[in-house]
Amino acid sequence: MKKIKASLLWGILFLALVGFWAYENNRNSNFVRAVVLSTDNSDVMQSGIARIGSQELLLKVVDGKFKGQEVVGYNNLLGNLDIDAFYAPGDTVVAALREDHGKVVDAKAVDLYRQSWEFILFGFFVLLLIIYAGNTGLRAIFSFIASLWVIWKNLIPGLLAGENPLLLSSGILFVLSAIVIFSVAGFTRKGLSAFLGTVAGLFVTIGITAFFGDKLGLLGTTLPYSSTLLFSGNIGLNMKQIFFAAIVIGASGAAMDIGMDIASAMAEVKSKKPEIMCRELIQSGFNVGRAVIGTMTTTLLLAYSGGYLTLLMLFASQDTDFVRIINYRMVAAEILRTVAGSIGLVLIAPITAVIAGWIYSYNLEPLKSRVKSFLGKMQGIIRV
């Protein structure tokens, strides 16, 4: 109980620090929170559920250096339901302020303000994780934040700079696997087994993805916002390899999950039956792996299908022929994403079982004795 209370205190402190960082980061920004006081929709034309035109808004700024000021804002509607937002009095929005000599000239409504509820949702997740997992939950949160930081500060800038996507993502996944697995399992035999099995399986997945992606003639433009990215000054990017990298990154989370599941199960078997032989222990890992793989591959299918549920509904509503569906570029891309990721997961299970069986059965005492002896000799030399 004391450990849970301590973990909760650390979790609350962590959330407070995140909130303070967000406040300080946005305090002097021209992107501020504002409340819609009134709207003028006279220039908005509506056709069905789509709207085109410009919505004029009277906004009251509620944070930042212009807090309390009222400003006229504009909301441009393009008829695109994916990005358009239509506001009403009382809505809280993110507004981009335009200044001239220290005074606000006007503003542009960017989108609804969702940040508060996003922090509440994340805080709820953190608290549940800490209550259930305690210190392990805190380590999981650390790995979560560290992974976001590595992706945002290293992977994304590297891709934009034109570095080889597959090589870069391979290095990033190596680092992320180490951060996530060793943060949760520590520098133990279990952590080492899960790490080595995960990395081996991911590198095989990279090769399979690159080979079959090339044979399927996929160019990578099925990724969301890929065309927008290319035509916003990044025309030289290799979208094909970026797509391949995205497939492997998407499968890496499930890969770490399987590696940790098998390594943990085998560690538990070893702790309950220390005299178990290496071959028997590996066989136990195989048995666990078969059960895990049986559900994990379907998990990937459901996850990717959920992302394209509306596309599947469109095919069904138009009674599209199976040959047309299976050869459609976006469907082919999702088939590659699902199957290549599943192949990687299938391979990670036995690889991790073999590695863990050897590591758990290997006697480290002679090695520890040699290390202690070496350190003792070095200490004696230093003293002399």
Side-chain angles (χ1 to χ4, degrees):
M1 191 67 183
K2 290 182 179 179
K3 289 184 178 180
I4 293 177
K5 288 182 178 179
S7 299
L8 280 174
L9 288 175
W10 280 109
I12 292 170
L13 178 61
F14 168 77
L15 291 175
L17 289 174
V18 171
F20 178 75
W21 172 82
Y23 171 76
E24 287 295 318
N25 190 53
N26 295 327
R27 187 169 60 174
N28 297 318
S29 172
N30 280 355
F31 286 90
V32 299
R33 185 163 45 111
V35 175
V36 179
L37 299 178
S38 62
T39 62
D40 181 358
N41 304 324
S42 57
D43 291 334
V44 177
M45 295 181 293
Q46 184 166 348
S47 176
I49 60 175
R51 297 182 178 93
I52 300 174
S54 180
Q55 185 184 28
E56 186 176 306
L57 311 170
L58 179 61
L59 304 172
K60 183 176 182 179
V61 181
V62 296
D63 60 15
K65 60 182 178 179
F66 298 108
K67 181 178 179 179
Q69 293 189 27
E70 294 184 4
V71 60
V72 175
Y74 298 93
N75 176 34
N76 296 322
L77 301 168
L78 306 175
N80 189 338
L81 299 179
D82 292 340
I83 60 176
D84 283 349
F86 192 74
Y87 305 113
D91 286 342
T92 302
V93 301
V94 176
L97 303 181
R98 187 164 66 93
E99 295 182 54
D100 186 17
H101 297 91
K103 294 183 179 180
V104 181
V105 178
D106 57 22
K108 178 183 178 181
V110 178
D111 214 323
L112 284 172
Y113 182 82
R114 302 181 174 93
Q115 184 173 309
S116 298
W117 286 108
E118 288 171 346
F119 276 122
I120 291 172
L121 179 63
F122 182 70
F124 184 56
F125 160 70
V126 169
L127 292 177
L128 284 180
L129 190 59
I130 291 173
I131 290 172
Y132 177 73
N135 290 328
T136 302
L138 281 176
R139 293 195 295 269
I141 294 167
F142 165 76
S143 67
F144 182 87
I145 300 298
S147 299
L148 284 177
W149 187 86
V150 170
I151 290 172
W152 185 251
K153 292 294 185 179
N154 295 274
L155 177 63
I156 303 302
L159 292 175
L160 289 173
E163 295 184 24
N164 187 294
L166 283 177
L167 289 178
L168 177 62
S169 60
S170 299
I172 292 294
L173 286 177
F174 185 87
V175 173
L176 288 181
S177 298
I179 291 174
V180 174
I181 292 173
F182 290 126
S183 294
V184 175
F187 292 95
T188 60
R189 298 189 189 208
K190 179 171 68 176
L192 182 61
S193 302
F195 172 72
L196 293 177
T198 299
V199 170
L202 286 176
F203 278 109
V204 173
T205 305
I206 291 173
I208 292 171
T209 301
F211 177 80
F212 284 97
D214 186 63
K215 295 298 181 182
L216 292 173
L218 298 173
L219 303 177
T221 51
T222 54
L223 287 171
Y225 298 102
S226 56
S227 299
T228 305
L229 176 64
L230 287 173
F231 293 112
S232 62
N234 301 288
I235 196 68
L237 293 179
N238 188 337
M239 295 305 301
K240 182 178 181 178
Q241 288 206 7
I242 290 175
F243 170 64
F244 295 162
I247 291 176
V248 181
I249 292 171
S252 63
M256 295 178 207
D257 187 23
I258 286 182
M260 183 60 72
D261 286 346
I262 294 173
S264 298
M266 293 176 68
E268 188 69 16
V269 171
K270 183 67 176 178
S271 67
K272 299 299 182 184
K273 191 179 179 182
E275 71 279 4
I276 189 172
M277 299 297 292
C278 179
R279 180 175 295 181
E280 292 179 285
L281 187 59
I282 292 175
Q283 186 60 50
S284 297
F286 277 24
N287 294 336
V288 173
R290 292 187 188 100
V292 173
I293 286 297
T295 57
M296 189 59 70
T297 52
T298 307
T299 300
L300 282 181
L301 173 63
L302 294 176
Y304 295 140
S305 298
Y308 286 91
L309 189 60
T310 50
L311 176 63
L312 297 176
M313 293 170 65
L314 179 63
F315 285 145
S317 66
Q318 296 183 355
D319 197 22
T320 308
D321 188 81
F322 177 76
V323 175
R324 175 71 179 96
I325 294 175
I326 206 72
N327 288 284
Y328 188 55
R329 181 183 301 175
M330 191 170 292
V331 174
E334 292 311 304
I335 290 174
L336 175 65
R337 187 192 300 268
T338 303
V339 178
S342 298
I343 291 173
L345 298 183
V346 171
L347 292 175
I348 285 171
I351 291 173
T352 304
V354 172
I355 292 174
W358 183 82
I359 290 177
Y360 291 155
S361 301
Y362 186 76
N363 185 9
L364 294 178
E365 292 304 321
L367 179 61
K368 289 180 180 178
S369 300
R370 291 176 185 174
V371 171
K372 288 181 180 179
S373 176
F374 174 77
L375 292 176
K377 290 179 181 179
M378 291 299 296
Q379 189 176 8
I381 293 172
I382 293 172
R383 285 177 179 175
V384 172

